[in-house]
Amino acid sequence: MEEINDIDEIVDFLHENYFGTDDIYSGLPDRKINVEVRFPFEKPLFPEKTPDKVNIVFKNCIFKNELKLNDSESLLNFENCKFYGKVMGNGAHFSGKIRFRNCHFHNEVRFKNTRFNDLADFYSCHFYQRTIFYKTDFLQTAVFSGATFYENVLFTYTLFNKLVIFRGTNFIKGLDLSLSILSGSLSVFDIQLKDFAVLINNPTTDEYEENVFVIGEIPIKNKRETFRILRKTFEGNLDYIHSLDYKKLELKTYDKILDFNIKIGKDRWSNKFNKIILWLNRKSNDYGTRFEYGVLFTFVIGLIFFFLTFISTEVFWNNICFDCEIDWNVIGYTVKQFVNYLNPVHSIDFIDELRPFFGISYILDFFGRIAVGYGIYQTIQAFRKYR
């Protein structure tokens, strides 16, 4: 691969290898660029012409130093390029389309206060460092399809004015959409995003801003909001199958938030009560995704309350015998009563016959009906997970 050690070599090559008049097309293929590149170049590309559009393609190039992008009306294309220096577009306004296709960013990528007035395409790109789009305006379509982010990616106060596409995007670590401004549409399909590590603390306002703007750490409340946004997006597309994945992740994250709030003493009793609700939700149907959990929960909780109801009666203690032979009639009667007990509207006549102590069995039966009814409801909800 031929090496370039002077920026003028790039300018001269582009100037000598172009075609078109109103729209000029030029490109630089298969080069290892060892110098810092600033675009637009200080030296005019086509001083003798006034083209309507300039299309420039860098193909199969290796950028060893920083690429600095400033205000430009050109159409820029980077295809199969590798960037070992920083890619910086802070404060730039791009009037033309910008395409990075199948590029590898081994260093920092920053588009702070950047405005993309037309298409911004990062198709099938690989981002190896934490990436923060801070106050970036995507006024038209933004494409991240097939891209892979190996570290956290944050869209902090980023505007998606028309459409942002995440199709087949792979998030190895974390994603933060919580602070993005979704004025347009969010298109997600076949993305890869699992649970990920976040900051669990109580930061000051300055610490919070530093995390989401400078460091690239994702606070846990941002994580929960990101999962909520994805869940609502899938629900809006009637894709209930994938919405369940992010509903589960959202509630698991909220559970950790409750743990932290309890630890620091913030609304302790309220958070403890909410944690109990989440615990029951997880155990009874795994947040609406597993009907078999509901069946097992109903059976076990029914058995517990049925047993407690029985041992609170005089007949039970008068007839208990550990050395006696098995009476299959008694076992059959007990099984019959247990199956009947699993009906929340069962009769209480069998309790009257057992002569309960101080009416305790009636109280236990009342709470048992609620618990069994809850289990049945949760089972039905899990069966309806696909609506």
Side-chain angles (χ1 to χ4, degrees):
M1 180 178 286
E2 186 176 340
E3 296 191 11
I4 291 180
N5 298 300
D6 191 320
I7 195 68
D8 287 341
E9 295 179 47
I10 299 177
V11 177
D12 292 341
F13 185 92
L14 293 174
H15 183 266
E16 294 168 3
N17 297 271
Y18 75 91
F19 63 91
T21 53
D22 293 334
D23 292 354
I24 290 181
Y25 297 85
S26 186
L28 181 71
D30 306 312
R31 295 294 194 276
K32 182 179 180 182
I33 304 172
N34 296 320
V35 295
E36 179 180 300
V37 177
R38 293 178 178 269
F39 186 87
F41 306 112
E42 292 183 7
K43 181 179 178 180
L45 264 178
F46 309 103
E48 73 284 1
K49 296 181 178 294
T50 55
D52 294 332
K53 293 181 180 178
V54 177
N55 299 267
I56 299 176
V57 178
F58 292 89
K59 189 171 184 178
N60 300 323
C61 291
I62 297 176
F63 292 80
K64 298 297 292 184
N65 283 285
E66 180 176 309
L67 170 64
K68 179 70 169 67
L69 300 174
N70 297 309
D71 293 359
S72 172
E73 296 181 357
S74 301
L75 281 71
L76 284 176
N77 293 270
F78 298 88
E79 298 181 10
N80 302 313
C81 293
K82 295 181 180 179
F83 300 90
Y84 290 96
K86 295 180 180 179
V87 176
M88 308 296 285
N90 295 341
H93 288 192
F94 301 112
S95 299
K97 294 180 173 64
I98 304 292
R99 289 187 174 93
F100 293 89
R101 300 180 69 84
N102 196 32
C103 291
H104 293 254
F105 301 98
H106 293 272
N107 210 315
E108 186 178 2
V109 177
R110 280 276 177 161
F111 289 101
K112 173 188 173 184
N113 291 318
T114 307
R115 175 176 294 179
F116 294 90
N117 291 293
D118 209 320
L119 172 70
D121 188 355
F122 295 89
Y123 175 79
S124 195
C125 286
H126 295 256
F127 298 81
Y128 295 97
Q129 304 296 327
R130 288 181 177 176
T131 304
I132 304 173
F133 292 90
Y134 180 77
K135 293 185 178 180
T136 307
D137 292 343
F138 295 98
L139 300 186
Q140 297 298 318
T141 301
V143 178
F144 294 92
S145 297
T148 301
F149 293 91
Y150 294 88
E151 296 291 340
N152 290 345
V153 54
L154 298 85
F155 295 91
T156 305
Y157 310 126
T158 290
L159 170 65
F160 295 111
N161 188 59
K162 184 177 180 181
L163 173 66
V164 55
I165 303 174
F166 295 105
R167 197 276 308 157
T169 311
N170 190 6
F171 302 96
I172 304 297
K173 290 291 181 68
L175 167 67
D176 188 359
L177 290 172
S178 63
L179 299 177
S180 61
I181 305 169
L182 294 169
S183 298
S185 300
L186 173 62
S187 176
V188 290
F189 176 72
D190 194 31
I191 65 171
Q192 304 297 317
L193 176 64
K194 299 180 180 179
D195 203 358
F196 55 90
V198 292
L199 284 175
I200 304 178
N201 58 8
N202 191 23
T204 64
T205 300
D206 290 340
E207 290 172 339
Y208 178 84
E209 289 295 325
E210 184 179 17
N211 286 326
V212 299
F213 166 45
V214 180
I215 302 175
E217 291 280 5
I218 301 175
I220 190 168
K221 61 182 180 181
N222 293 36
K223 174 183 174 181
R224 188 202 66 80
E225 177 64 10
T226 296
F227 288 144
R228 187 198 68 81
I229 290 172
L230 292 173
R231 173 180 61 82
K232 292 294 291 183
T233 299
F234 281 114
E235 289 177 351
N237 295 333
L238 303 182
D239 186 353
Y240 299 112
I241 296 174
H242 291 99
S243 71
L244 289 170
D245 296 333
Y246 295 100
K247 174 186 177 182
K248 184 188 294 188
L249 288 170
E250 178 189 357
L251 292 176
K252 283 184 176 180
T253 304
Y254 183 56
D255 191 40
K256 293 179 181 178
I257 292 175
L258 293 177
D259 285 335
F260 179 74
N261 288 341
I262 293 171
K263 180 180 178 180
I264 64 175
K266 179 181 178 181
D267 298 328
R268 181 168 293 173
W269 289 109
S270 174
N271 285 312
K272 283 184 177 181
F273 181 74
N274 289 332
K275 187 167 177 61
I276 291 172
I277 294 175
L278 281 180
W279 183 86
L280 289 172
N281 218 311
R282 184 175 72 252
K283 294 297 182 181
S284 61
N285 63 12
D286 198 20
Y287 304 116
T289 62
R290 303 286 295 273
F291 78 89
E292 66 272 24
Y293 279 31
V295 174
L296 181 62
F297 177 87
T298 304
F299 179 84
V300 172
I301 201 71
L303 185 63
I304 291 172
F305 275 98
F306 178 73
F307 177 72
L308 293 175
T309 300
F310 251 65
I311 66 174
S312 302
T313 64
E314 181 180 339
V315 170
F316 174 83
W317 291 105
N318 289 341
N319 292 276
I320 190 171
C321 179
F322 297 104
D323 298 327
C324 302
E325 294 184 2
I326 297 176
D327 190 337
W328 292 102
N329 290 326
V330 172
I331 292 177
Y333 172 80
T334 304
V335 171
K336 175 185 175 182
Q337 294 301 329
F338 174 65
V339 173
N340 181 61
Y341 190 85
L342 293 179
N343 178 3
V345 294
H346 60 260
S347 171
I348 61 172
D349 292 344
F350 79 101
I351 298 179
D352 298 333
E353 299 170 357
L354 299 175
R355 299 193 297 276
F357 295 123
F358 309 110
I360 296 176
S361 293
Y362 296 108
I363 298 174
L364 291 170
D365 178 73
F366 172 75
F367 286 107
R369 291 172 190 262
I370 295 175
V372 170
Y374 174 77
I376 293 173
Y377 173 80
Q378 290 294 85
T379 303
I380 295 172
Q381 284 293 95
F383 266 115
R384 296 184 65 251
K385 64 182 179 180
Y386 300 134
R387 308 287 175 100

